[in-house]
Amino acid sequence: MLKKRNVMTIGTLAKTAGVGVETVRYYQRRGLMSEPEKPYGGIRHYDEQALARLHFIRASQWLGFSLDEIGELLTLQDGAHCDEARELGEQKLTSVRRKISHLQQIEQALNELVQKCSAGHGDVYCPLMASLNDGVEDATTDKHKVR
Amino acid sequence: MLKKRNVMTIGTLAKTAGVGVETVRYYQRRGLMSEPEKPYGGIRHYDEQALARLHFIRASQWLGFSLDEIGELLTLQDGAHCDEARELGEQKLTSVRRKISHLQQIEQALNELVQKCSAGHGDVYCPLMASLNDGVEDATTDKHKVR
DNA sequence: ATTGCTTCCGTAGTGAGGTACGGGTCTAAG
DNA sequence: CTTAGACCCGTACCTCACTACGGAAGCAAT
């Protein structure tokens, strides 16, 4: 007979994976993890597969995938849908690169402002504030949403 | 007597600044903008100061300040609190740089995965999926929250 | 047997930054 | 004078990923 090793309760599972119990239950409700059957009137137990699933989810999140996207990735797991997975990865890569360049623009603008503030200047005049009042050069001229 | 130029309704103000009417009203509720008095039973009107305020908010948001932080910045506007403003700017600069380096790590990891997927490989094996299952190298080993 | 920690389960609240709705009032055009 | 289109105002709802709450029941140690 099979010897089940590393059988855990939800609390142990969660702690091992470094998440909260409520988070595991939340993932179950979202359909990202299945809820194991519970023995009559007892407590559900989780095995290493559940732990692996949790690791998968956290790794994907770290890469910037949303829980919905992770759901998609998970449907690709059974079977060799490598192309679809790569496609999702490429889309994410593109969006990550967009975010980086956006943040780099901000970094530059902010850096300039702070520099100007540090170089002394007459009182009752603050370069940072002045720029904010004028709209940080062409920052607000591109009308796309900030969110 | 003063000639009021460019007197606007809330709709015109919002459109000019490129935001929604509801957004202006939301900023008023948040205390970022004041609500002008309304003439008896009439319609409030807004001047260029209100528009400037809106520009200030959007410019600050573009730089990554939250609405709460923008509130702080606004209290520094009257009077020459340049040092405090610069301090806030520096904090934001630090956090922007942290975000950039975080995203760059992600970019690198994701890029490698996608590359490996593009280079052919035996079926029933997907490097991207494999990495997610293993936890993307040391990505999940640093146990800090993803949020 | 009693204490005290988990687990179970559903529902509700959080935070950020809005967006939508609905009923009433104004104003300008035809 | 009527009607279309703003405006006024409060309240509710949205997304995302959780987090908290509360009462009942189980399990382990003393």
Side-chain angles (χ1 to χ4, degrees):
Chain A
M1 50 173 73
L2 305 184
K3 191 176 177 185
K4 283 182 190 169
R5 35 179 84 232
N6 257 343
V7 167
M8 297 170 271
T9 69
I10 194 173
T12 317
L13 173 70
K15 193 172 294 178
T16 307
V19 304
V21 169
E22 301 303 327
T23 305
V24 174
R25 294 186 17 76
Y26 174 69
Y27 291 163
Q28 291 172 337
R29 287 199 298 276
R30 292 277 305 234
L32 298 178
M33 295 185 63
S34 56
E35 239 184 316
E37 295 302 315
K38 79 168 168 182
Y40 299 103
I43 281 179
R44 300 176 203 281
H45 37 48
Y46 297 81
D47 58 10
E48 306 213 314
Q49 273 201 6
L51 186 57
R53 176 58 65 102
L54 224 28
H55 282 322
F56 182 101
I57 294 172
R58 299 309 269 193
S60 306
Q61 267 189 314
W62 185 82
L63 286 175
F65 290 99
S66 71
L67 295 186
D68 276 353
E69 289 167 331
I70 293 170
E72 268 186 86
L73 284 174
L74 285 168
T75 66
L76 303 178
Q77 246 192 343
D78 312 325
H81 302 279
C82 186
D83 287 353
E84 286 95 323
R86 197 193 59 209
E87 179 61 26
L88 287 175
E90 278 169 357
Q91 284 170 18
K92 194 49 62 180
L93 189 51
T94 302
S95 97
V96 166
R97 284 177 172 151
R98 251 203 321 273
K99 279 185 204 164
I100 290 174
S101 84
H102 180 204
L103 283 173
Q104 279 169 341
Q105 279 183 279
I106 291 173
E107 198 244 298
Q108 210 188 328
L110 214 38
N111 193 31
E112 274 171 31
L113 291 179
V114 167
Q115 294 298 313
K116 274 195 246 167
C117 274
S118 297
H121 50 76
D123 264 320
V124 196
Y125 162 75
C126 177
L128 204 161
M129 286 298 179
S131 297
L132 286 176
N133 279 316
D134 300 355
V136 188
E137 265 116 75
D138 43 0
T140 51
T141 348
D142 44 347
K143 286 288 194 246
H144 67 264
K145 293 272 174 177
V146 167
R147 285 174 92 175
Chain B
M1 53 173 71
L2 305 182
K3 190 177 177 185
K4 286 182 190 169
R5 37 178 85 232
N6 257 344
V7 167
M8 299 170 271
T9 68
I10 195 173
T12 317
L13 172 71
K15 192 172 294 175
T16 308
V19 304
V21 169
E22 302 303 328
T23 304
V24 174
R25 292 184 20 73
Y26 174 69
Y27 291 163
Q28 291 174 336
R29 287 200 298 275
R30 293 277 304 230
L32 299 177
M33 297 186 62
S34 56
E35 241 185 314
E37 295 301 313
K38 79 169 169 184
Y40 299 103
I43 282 177
R44 300 176 203 282
H45 38 47
Y46 297 81
D47 59 9
E48 306 214 311
Q49 274 201 9
L51 186 56
R53 176 58 63 103
L54 224 29
H55 283 321
F56 183 101
I57 295 171
R58 300 308 272 192
S60 306
Q61 267 190 312
W62 185 83
L63 287 175
F65 289 99
S66 71
L67 295 186
D68 276 353
E69 288 167 332
I70 293 169
E72 268 186 87
L73 283 173
L74 285 167
T75 68
L76 303 178
Q77 246 194 343
D78 313 323
H81 302 279
C82 188
D83 288 351
E84 287 94 325
R86 196 195 58 209
E87 180 60 27
L88 288 175
E90 279 169 358
Q91 285 171 18
K92 192 51 61 180
L93 189 51
T94 303
S95 96
V96 166
R97 286 178 172 150
R98 251 202 321 273
K99 278 185 206 164
I100 289 174
S101 84
H102 181 205
L103 283 173
Q104 279 170 341
Q105 280 183 280
I106 291 173
E107 198 244 297
Q108 207 188 331
L110 215 38
N111 193 33
E112 274 171 33
L113 291 180
V114 167
Q115 295 297 313
K116 274 194 246 168
C117 274
S118 296
H121 49 75
D123 264 321
V124 195
Y125 163 75
C126 177
L128 204 162
M129 285 300 178
S131 298
L132 286 176
N133 279 317
D134 301 355
V136 189
E137 263 113 78
D138 45 359
T140 50
T141 346
D142 44 348
K143 287 286 194 248
H144 66 264
K145 294 272 173 178
V146 168
R147 285 175 98 175

PDB file of all heavy atoms in Angstrom, chain A residues 68-86:
ATOM      1  N   ASP A  68      -5.969  35.497 -12.048  1.00  0.00           N
ATOM      2  CA  ASP A  68      -6.712  35.024 -13.216  1.00  0.00           C
ATOM      3  C   ASP A  68      -5.765  34.404 -14.237  1.00  0.00           C
ATOM      4  O   ASP A  68      -6.034  33.342 -14.795  1.00  0.00           O
ATOM      5  CB  ASP A  68      -7.480  36.185 -13.867  1.00  0.00           C
ATOM      6  CG  ASP A  68      -8.823  36.437 -13.185  1.00  0.00           C
ATOM      7  OD1 ASP A  68      -9.208  35.643 -12.311  1.00  0.00           O
ATOM      8  OD2 ASP A  68      -9.475  37.428 -13.526  1.00  0.00           O
ATOM      9  N   GLU A  69      -4.677  35.094 -14.486  1.00  0.00           N
ATOM     10  CA  GLU A  69      -3.704  34.571 -15.453  1.00  0.00           C
ATOM     11  C   GLU A  69      -3.101  33.268 -14.959  1.00  0.00           C
ATOM     12  O   GLU A  69      -2.840  32.343 -15.746  1.00  0.00           O
ATOM     13  CB  GLU A  69      -2.598  35.609 -15.694  1.00  0.00           C
ATOM     14  CG  GLU A  69      -3.082  36.802 -16.479  1.00  0.00           C
ATOM     15  CD  GLU A  69      -2.108  37.973 -16.467  1.00  0.00           C
ATOM     16  OE1 GLU A  69      -1.352  38.130 -15.474  1.00  0.00           O
ATOM     17  OE2 GLU A  69      -2.093  38.730 -17.431  1.00  0.00           O
ATOM     18  N   ILE A  70      -2.882  33.175 -13.662  1.00  0.00           N
ATOM     19  CA  ILE A  70      -2.335  31.950 -13.102  1.00  0.00           C
ATOM     20  C   ILE A  70      -3.319  30.799 -13.303  1.00  0.00           C
ATOM     21  O   ILE A  70      -2.931  29.676 -13.606  1.00  0.00           O
ATOM     22  CB  ILE A  70      -2.000  32.150 -11.611  1.00  0.00           C
ATOM     23  CG1 ILE A  70      -0.850  33.156 -11.498  1.00  0.00           C
ATOM     24  CG2 ILE A  70      -1.602  30.837 -10.951  1.00  0.00           C
ATOM     25  CD1 ILE A  70      -0.566  33.647 -10.091  1.00  0.00           C
ATOM     26  N   GLY A  71      -4.603  31.129 -13.194  1.00  0.00           N
ATOM     27  CA  GLY A  71      -5.621  30.139 -13.502  1.00  0.00           C
ATOM     28  C   GLY A  71      -5.461  29.603 -14.916  1.00  0.00           C
ATOM     29  O   GLY A  71      -5.496  28.398 -15.151  1.00  0.00           O
ATOM     30  N   GLU A  72      -5.223  30.504 -15.850  1.00  0.00           N
ATOM     31  CA  GLU A  72      -4.983  30.101 -17.239  1.00  0.00           C
ATOM     32  C   GLU A  72      -3.761  29.210 -17.345  1.00  0.00           C
ATOM     33  O   GLU A  72      -3.784  28.155 -17.984  1.00  0.00           O
ATOM     34  CB  GLU A  72      -4.734  31.348 -18.098  1.00  0.00           C
ATOM     35  CG  GLU A  72      -5.955  31.928 -18.751  1.00  0.00           C
ATOM     36  CD  GLU A  72      -5.556  33.058 -19.690  1.00  0.00           C
ATOM     37  OE1 GLU A  72      -5.235  32.783 -20.854  1.00  0.00           O
ATOM     38  OE2 GLU A  72      -5.532  34.228 -19.232  1.00  0.00           O
ATOM     39  N   LEU A  73      -2.679  29.654 -16.727  1.00  0.00           N
ATOM     40  CA  LEU A  73      -1.443  28.861 -16.763  1.00  0.00           C
ATOM     41  C   LEU A  73      -1.691  27.451 -16.240  1.00  0.00           C
ATOM     42  O   LEU A  73      -1.188  26.476 -16.802  1.00  0.00           O
ATOM     43  CB  LEU A  73      -0.358  29.526 -15.899  1.00  0.00           C
ATOM     44  CG  LEU A  73       0.333  30.754 -16.481  1.00  0.00           C
ATOM     45  CD1 LEU A  73       1.274  31.384 -15.465  1.00  0.00           C
ATOM     46  CD2 LEU A  73       1.127  30.367 -17.734  1.00  0.00           C
ATOM     47  N   LEU A  74      -2.500  27.383 -15.198  1.00  0.00           N
ATOM     48  CA  LEU A  74      -2.735  26.077 -14.585  1.00  0.00           C
ATOM     49  C   LEU A  74      -3.497  25.130 -15.503  1.00  0.00           C
ATOM     50  O   LEU A  74      -3.287  23.922 -15.469  1.00  0.00           O
ATOM     51  CB  LEU A  74      -3.487  26.259 -13.257  1.00  0.00           C
ATOM     52  CG  LEU A  74      -2.604  26.795 -12.126  1.00  0.00           C
ATOM     53  CD1 LEU A  74      -3.437  27.226 -10.944  1.00  0.00           C
ATOM     54  CD2 LEU A  74      -1.589  25.746 -11.701  1.00  0.00           C
ATOM     55  N   THR A  75      -4.362  25.698 -16.343  1.00  0.00           N
ATOM     56  CA  THR A  75      -5.078  24.808 -17.273  1.00  0.00           C
ATOM     57  C   THR A  75      -4.128  24.267 -18.343  1.00  0.00           C
ATOM     58  O   THR A  75      -4.426  23.296 -19.014  1.00  0.00           O
ATOM     59  CB  THR A  75      -6.232  25.533 -17.989  1.00  0.00           C
ATOM     60  OG1 THR A  75      -5.686  26.537 -18.843  1.00  0.00           O
ATOM     61  CG2 THR A  75      -7.166  26.176 -16.993  1.00  0.00           C
ATOM     62  N   LEU A  76      -3.000  24.961 -18.511  1.00  0.00           N
ATOM     63  CA  LEU A  76      -2.042  24.522 -19.526  1.00  0.00           C
ATOM     64  C   LEU A  76      -1.080  23.480 -18.980  1.00  0.00           C
ATOM     65  O   LEU A  76      -0.271  22.923 -19.700  1.00  0.00           O
ATOM     66  CB  LEU A  76      -1.231  25.726 -20.024  1.00  0.00           C
ATOM     67  CG  LEU A  76      -2.028  26.887 -20.601  1.00  0.00           C
ATOM     68  CD1 LEU A  76      -1.106  28.011 -20.990  1.00  0.00           C
ATOM     69  CD2 LEU A  76      -2.842  26.430 -21.790  1.00  0.00           C
ATOM     70  N   GLN A  77      -1.203  23.241 -17.676  1.00  0.00           N
ATOM     71  CA  GLN A  77      -0.216  22.384 -17.045  1.00  0.00           C
ATOM     72  C   GLN A  77      -0.340  20.927 -17.457  1.00  0.00           C
ATOM     73  O   GLN A  77       0.661  20.244 -17.636  1.00  0.00           O
ATOM     74  CB  GLN A  77      -0.357  22.481 -15.530  1.00  0.00           C
ATOM     75  CG  GLN A  77       0.843  23.106 -14.896  1.00  0.00           C
ATOM     76  CD  GLN A  77       0.798  22.919 -13.403  1.00  0.00           C
ATOM     77  OE1 GLN A  77      -0.219  22.612 -12.819  1.00  0.00           O
ATOM     78  NE2 GLN A  77       1.941  23.104 -12.787  1.00  0.00           N
ATOM     79  N   ASP A  78      -1.577  20.482 -17.555  1.00  0.00           N
ATOM     80  CA  ASP A  78      -1.773  19.083 -17.921  1.00  0.00           C
ATOM     81  C   ASP A  78      -1.806  19.020 -19.439  1.00  0.00           C
ATOM     82  O   ASP A  78      -2.686  19.574 -20.069  1.00  0.00           O
ATOM     83  CB  ASP A  78      -3.081  18.571 -17.328  1.00  0.00           C
ATOM     84  CG  ASP A  78      -3.184  18.945 -15.856  1.00  0.00           C
ATOM     85  OD1 ASP A  78      -2.143  18.951 -15.175  1.00  0.00           O
ATOM     86  OD2 ASP A  78      -4.302  19.284 -15.430  1.00  0.00           O
ATOM     87  N   GLY A  79      -0.836  18.347 -20.028  1.00  0.00           N
ATOM     88  CA  GLY A  79      -0.690  18.361 -21.468  1.00  0.00           C
ATOM     89  C   GLY A  79       0.445  19.289 -21.826  1.00  0.00           C
ATOM     90  O   GLY A  79       0.894  20.093 -21.025  1.00  0.00           O
ATOM     91  N   ALA A  80       0.918  19.201 -23.033  1.00  0.00           N
ATOM     92  CA  ALA A  80       2.123  19.932 -23.398  1.00  0.00           C
ATOM     93  C   ALA A  80       1.790  21.181 -24.199  1.00  0.00           C
ATOM     94  O   ALA A  80       2.088  21.294 -25.372  1.00  0.00           O
ATOM     95  CB  ALA A  80       3.044  19.009 -24.185  1.00  0.00           C
ATOM     96  N   HIS A  81       1.169  22.168 -23.532  1.00  0.00           N
ATOM     97  CA  HIS A  81       0.789  23.404 -24.215  1.00  0.00           C
ATOM     98  C   HIS A  81       1.867  24.458 -24.068  1.00  0.00           C
ATOM     99  O   HIS A  81       1.587  25.597 -23.701  1.00  0.00           O
ATOM    100  CB  HIS A  81      -0.519  23.934 -23.644  1.00  0.00           C
ATOM    101  CG  HIS A  81      -1.645  22.971 -23.734  1.00  0.00           C
ATOM    102  ND1 HIS A  81      -2.374  22.799 -24.883  1.00  0.00           N
ATOM    103  CD2 HIS A  81      -2.167  22.109 -22.830  1.00  0.00           C
ATOM    104  CE1 HIS A  81      -3.301  21.886 -24.686  1.00  0.00           C
ATOM    105  NE2 HIS A  81      -3.191  21.450 -23.438  1.00  0.00           N
ATOM    106  N   CYS A  82       3.050  24.055 -24.382  1.00  0.00           N
ATOM    107  CA  CYS A  82       4.174  24.961 -24.153  1.00  0.00           C
ATOM    108  C   CYS A  82       4.033  26.260 -24.932  1.00  0.00           C
ATOM    109  O   CYS A  82       4.375  27.323 -24.449  1.00  0.00           O
ATOM    110  CB  CYS A  82       5.483  24.270 -24.505  1.00  0.00           C
ATOM    111  SG  CYS A  82       6.920  25.246 -24.086  1.00  0.00           S
ATOM    112  N   ASP A  83       3.498  26.167 -26.156  1.00  0.00           N
ATOM    113  CA  ASP A  83       3.374  27.368 -26.986  1.00  0.00           C
ATOM    114  C   ASP A  83       2.467  28.397 -26.336  1.00  0.00           C
ATOM    115  O   ASP A  83       2.784  29.591 -26.292  1.00  0.00           O
ATOM    116  CB  ASP A  83       2.836  27.007 -28.365  1.00  0.00           C
ATOM    117  CG  ASP A  83       3.901  26.293 -29.191  1.00  0.00           C
ATOM    118  OD1 ASP A  83       5.058  26.222 -28.718  1.00  0.00           O
ATOM    119  OD2 ASP A  83       3.568  25.811 -30.274  1.00  0.00           O
ATOM    120  N   GLU A  84       1.345  27.925 -25.820  1.00  0.00           N
ATOM    121  CA  GLU A  84       0.426  28.860 -25.167  1.00  0.00           C
ATOM    122  C   GLU A  84       1.094  29.485 -23.942  1.00  0.00           C
ATOM    123  O   GLU A  84       0.952  30.680 -23.690  1.00  0.00           O
ATOM    124  CB  GLU A  84      -0.859  28.145 -24.724  1.00  0.00           C
ATOM    125  CG  GLU A  84      -1.803  27.804 -25.854  1.00  0.00           C
ATOM    126  CD  GLU A  84      -1.600  26.380 -26.343  1.00  0.00           C
ATOM    127  OE1 GLU A  84      -0.426  25.922 -26.377  1.00  0.00           O
ATOM    128  OE2 GLU A  84      -2.603  25.735 -26.691  1.00  0.00           O
ATOM    129  N   ALA A  85       1.789  28.674 -23.199  1.00  0.00           N
ATOM    130  CA  ALA A  85       2.464  29.190 -22.009  1.00  0.00           C
ATOM    131  C   ALA A  85       3.495  30.247 -22.400  1.00  0.00           C
ATOM    132  O   ALA A  85       3.586  31.308 -21.781  1.00  0.00           O
ATOM    133  CB  ALA A  85       3.133  28.055 -21.249  1.00  0.00           C
ATOM    134  N   ARG A  86       4.234  29.946 -23.436  1.00  0.00           N
ATOM    135  CA  ARG A  86       5.246  30.904 -23.869  1.00  0.00           C
ATOM    136  C   ARG A  86       4.590  32.209 -24.293  1.00  0.00           C
ATOM    137  O   ARG A  86       5.070  33.303 -23.999  1.00  0.00           O
ATOM    138  CB  ARG A  86       6.059  30.341 -25.037  1.00  0.00           C
ATOM    139  CG  ARG A  86       7.349  31.098 -25.250  1.00  0.00           C
ATOM    140  CD  ARG A  86       7.968  30.749 -26.578  1.00  0.00           C
ATOM    141  NE  ARG A  86       7.047  31.069 -27.662  1.00  0.00           N
ATOM    142  CZ  ARG A  86       7.011  30.428 -28.822  1.00  0.00           C
ATOM    143  NH1 ARG A  86       7.819  29.408 -29.031  1.00  0.00           N
ATOM    144  NH2 ARG A  86       6.154  30.792 -29.754  1.00  0.00           N
TER     145      ARG A  86
END
